Amino acid sequence: GGSAAVYGNVPVIDLSLPDDEVRAAMIAAASEVGFFSVTNHGIPEAAIDEAFGASATFFGQERAAKAEQAPFAAHLNCGYEYMSQVRPSTGTPDQKESLQVTARRGSMDGRWPSTDGFEPAARTLISAAHSLGNRLLSLLEPVACPHLPAGTLAGAHTLWAEGGQCTLRLLHYPPVDVSSVPEDYWRAGPHTDWCNLTLLFQRPGNAGLECAANPRAGGAGWLKVDPVEGGIAVNIGDMLSRWSNDSLLSNLHRVRMPTPEEARPPRPRYSMAFFMQADKHVLIESRHGAITAGDYILGRIRSNFDKKG
């Protein structure tokens, strides 16, 4: 899980450019590497900063307090987890803790952290990320999913509804002594996301996220997905890859352990991921057949993570 040879960075796309230029750049990146970063995205930095602050305050508590405030519910896929995710790609637990805020009616009842300002900060970021995600999906749709009626993708994600599945995941990777970490341990092992789109908020200086280098063109190694000042990393998920009849790439990505230089002194890594996941009842129709988004996510949960004993 230590540093591996990587080269280059994923494309950076300026959303203030004309839509046709933005769409062309997004389609190229989404088809070839499945990752890109966006700037001039319209989400206020203050909203992002407040959410990061609320995240750091929550994770700064004792583990028992976090588990008590936001108990994990597997059937709702929300709540607090501590180093419990085991990727099939590694067989070892990811070296992180997380809090999943699922934007479904009732899912967060009894699970909102009691730390000051957490709920409003999370709700504000969820709303802003959802709006941006819908804009990106609307730009991709005419080229990536020409078989769909206009507005299908953006209309498939409803916040705080009975069947809503959009999720904000707050992530904390604790400081590590890299000299004592086994080689097969990762901050997050190689995986793909289940959703349509992931919007990932990162902090400057918190390197480590990498994606496979253009696997469709026979690329080898890994590309950096480093934080971009004022930017948000975006990647295609399995759901949108399926919906687009595989024209868009849901690519493997991972979070490596820090290098010895990055770990002097050891420091934490924080990020926030917003997953655009279609509502449970929405039917995903493609050459792979038809399946509801709810059944699709349930199947991915069962296949991607080891069952807990």
Side-chain angles (χ1 to χ4, degrees):
S3 60
V6 297
Y7 59 92
N9 277 284
V10 299
V12 178
I13 300 173
D14 182 351
L15 295 185
S16 69
L17 295 173
D19 280 355
D20 286 349
E21 292 183 36
V22 172
R23 179 181 292 110
M26 285 176 55
I27 288 292
S31 303
E32 295 170 3
V33 72
F35 270 81
F36 51 92
S37 294
V38 295
T39 57
N40 292 312
H41 45 72
I43 298 182
E45 285 298 319
I48 298 171
D49 290 342
E50 286 180 15
F52 267 119
S55 173
T57 299
F58 172 75
F59 287 123
Q61 302 177 101
E62 293 295 325
R63 193 195 313 177
K66 290 176 282 193
E68 181 179 0
Q69 291 171 31
F72 184 73
H75 68 291
L76 299 173
N77 195 34
C78 63
Y80 171 73
E81 292 184 282
Y82 180 82
M83 297 194 185
S84 60
Q85 287 189 315
V86 178
R87 308 282 182 186
S89 61
T90 64
T92 58
D94 286 354
Q95 298 299 288
K96 68 175 187 288
E97 56 181 343
S98 65
L99 174 60
Q100 295 225 139
V101 179
T102 299
R104 181 186 309 123
R105 185 181 306 152
S107 287
M108 292 303 294
D109 291 352
R111 290 182 178 81
W112 284 111
S114 57
T115 48
D116 288 344
F118 185 96
E119 183 175 346
R123 285 184 177 272
T124 296
L125 187 64
I126 286 171
S127 178
H130 177 258
S131 295
L132 175 58
N134 280 337
R135 180 187 173 194
L136 298 179
L137 288 171
S138 296
L139 285 166
L140 289 168
E141 184 181 73
V143 178
C145 303
H147 58 290
L148 297 180
T152 296
L153 294 182
H157 307 79
T158 311
L159 294 181
W160 307 111
E162 187 69 33
Q165 297 195 112
C166 290
T167 299
L168 175 66
R169 189 173 205 194
L170 307 179
L171 296 147
H172 171 227
Y173 304 87
V176 294
D177 177 1
V178 293
S179 65
S180 63
V181 176
E183 182 64 28
D184 58 348
Y185 273 61
W186 297 80
R187 280 183 155 173
H191 64 283
T192 59
D193 292 343
W194 311 329
C195 57
N196 281 310
L197 279 183
T198 301
L199 278 61
L200 183 71
F201 301 83
Q202 304 184 90
R203 282 309 209 194
N206 276 190
L209 177 62
E210 303 168 351
C211 69
N214 199 352
R216 287 182 169 174
W222 298 81
L223 284 174
K224 299 175 184 176
V225 192
D226 285 346
V228 172
E229 190 68 35
I232 301 169
V234 180
N235 65 278
I236 305 301
D238 298 336
M239 186 180 287
L240 186 55
S241 181
R242 180 186 178 110
W243 224 337
S244 70
N245 287 317
D246 305 318
S247 67
L248 303 186
L249 174 65
S250 179
N251 199 359
L252 278 174
H253 50 286
R254 67 190 188 185
V255 181
R256 60 167 173 79
M257 287 293 180
T259 64
E261 292 74 23
E262 291 169 340
R264 295 194 191 107
R267 57 181 176 173
R269 183 183 192 275
Y270 292 92
S271 64
M272 303 183 295
F274 182 71
F275 301 107
M276 292 286 288
Q277 299 181 151
D279 299 343
K280 286 186 174 184
H281 71 276
V282 171
L283 194 64
I284 302 169
E285 296 182 277
S286 72
R287 68 185 184 190
H288 300 288
I291 187 172
T292 65
D295 286 343
Y296 185 76
I297 293 297
L298 184 60
R300 295 311 311 274
I301 291 172
R302 288 172 174 166
S303 67
N304 271 263
F305 290 95
D306 290 348
K307 292 181 180 178
K308 296 183 175 58

